Amino acid sequence: MTQNNSFPFLPRFIATSFGAGYWPYGPGTAGAVVGLILWLPLVLTVHFAGTVLITLGLIAVFTALGVWSAGIAEQYWGPDPSRVVMDETVGQWLAMIPLSVYAVRPDALTDGWFWMWTIASLILFRFFDIVKPLGVRKMEELPGGWGIMADDILAGVYSCVILSICMYFIR
């Protein structure tokens, strides 16, 4: 491990999801909430297809940046440091893809179902991220930043699938 004070700003800023990883009470949840907060303006201003495509683009870009920055963070903070939460931000974006059906709906902010599904996406994602069932824990064995990012990506995929099924059958 290298000295903390020489950790370059940009990879530290990205790895901590713009500083959310420094939140002392559940930094992983803070990283997921950052994902939710950053995504809400998108779903409220862009049509369905655009929301899905932009979300997938953000996931691809920030997965690459997350792998890079998490790999650097491990050099300064040790293996899988709790302050690295870009993986939670990306996983939360995956979990929220089904919410794209609310894109540009004028009543989205006042629709109770929208907020229920939004909270459900957060709960599902955090469940799969914390419990790590069905191969999620196995993803942590990948080397460097890949292992840090991959388990949350799989947790996000599981959350996305379950949320999609629930949204289809409920309401």
Side-chain angles (χ1 to χ4, degrees):
M1 275 193 311
T2 314
Q3 198 117 351
N4 259 348
N5 58 3
S6 62
F7 191 166
F9 173 77
L10 186 60
R12 185 170 19 112
F13 189 63
I14 293 168
T16 61
S17 272
F18 320 112
Y22 290 107
W23 181 254
Y25 312 105
T29 299
V33 169
V34 163
L36 195 150
I37 290 168
L38 291 175
W39 189 80
L40 282 175
L42 178 66
V43 76
L44 297 173
T45 59
V46 180
H47 60 83
F48 172 76
T51 298
V52 172
L53 291 173
I54 292 169
T55 302
L56 292 174
L58 288 170
I59 289 166
V61 167
F62 280 93
T63 294
L65 289 171
V67 168
W68 168 73
S69 63
I72 293 171
E74 281 192 317
Q75 296 172 18
Y76 291 90
W77 293 334
D80 201 1
S82 62
R83 286 178 275 198
V84 174
V85 295
M86 181 51 73
D87 49 336
E88 276 83 5
T89 300
V90 169
Q92 182 62 39
W93 284 337
L94 275 161
M96 292 188 301
I97 288 175
L99 294 170
S100 297
V101 298
Y102 286 95
V104 193
R105 276 195 36 200
D107 67 336
L109 286 176
T110 59
D111 186 335
W113 284 99
F114 172 75
W115 293 110
M116 186 195 78
W117 293 126
T118 300
I119 299 302
S121 75
L122 181 65
I123 292 168
L124 281 168
F125 171 67
R126 292 305 292 148
F127 168 78
F128 283 110
D129 184 31
I130 293 166
V131 176
K132 300 190 184 305
L134 306 168
V136 174
R137 184 165 311 283
K138 185 83 173 148
M139 295 290 105
E140 292 179 320
E141 296 173 13
L142 293 170
W146 288 105
I148 291 173
M149 294 297 294
D151 68 314
D152 293 272
I153 289 170
L154 187 55
V157 168
Y158 288 154
S159 303
C160 177
V161 168
I162 290 175
L163 188 65
S164 295
I165 292 167
C166 290
M167 287 176 70
Y168 181 80
F169 286 108
I170 301 172
R171 184 166 188 213

